[in-house]
Amino acid sequence: MRAYEVMYIIKPVEDEVIDGVIAKFEKLLTDNGATVEKTDRWGKKHLAYLIQDLSEGYYVLVNFKAEPAAVKELDRVMKITDEVLRHMIIKKED
């Protein structure tokens, strides 16, 4: 398994929705054989520029170990999740 990190920005919505989105992605990773090492909730921050007419977003950073297939599935689901404004998945060096 390889080490990855994903940073994503969630639309500024209610706390219950944010918790649900984070739990959804963690469950998706574990269901695909990945191990979530750490989830950092950076909280609501001001965006450098408007994204979908929004000036704020909720930042989340997740470190995990997974196979490439699990990462591909995570990327696919993040692209179609309405609450996610932006995301980036990075393979960490060994």
Side-chain angles (χ1 to χ4, degrees), residues 73-86:
E73 177 65 12
L74 177 66
D75 187 46
R76 184 189 73 79
V77 172
M78 284 189 158
K79 286 179 183 175
I80 61 174
T81 302
D82 290 336
E83 290 85 13
V84 176
L85 294 174
R86 292 281 191 276

Side-chain angles (χ1 to χ4, degrees), residues 34-79:
T35 56
V36 177
E37 295 175 341
K38 186 177 179 184
T39 301
D40 283 335
R41 296 173 179 230
W42 289 7
K44 194 181 288 187
K45 303 238 182 236
H46 187 74
L47 301 173
Y49 54 90
L50 293 179
I51 301 175
Q52 299 176 7
D53 292 329
L54 297 172
S55 62
E56 289 185 331
Y58 193 91
Y59 283 70
V60 181
L61 175 68
V62 180
N63 294 306
F64 63 98
K65 289 189 176 182
E67 296 296 329
V71 176
K72 189 173 182 179
E73 177 65 12
L74 177 66
D75 187 46
R76 184 189 73 79
V77 172
M78 284 189 158
K79 286 179 183 175

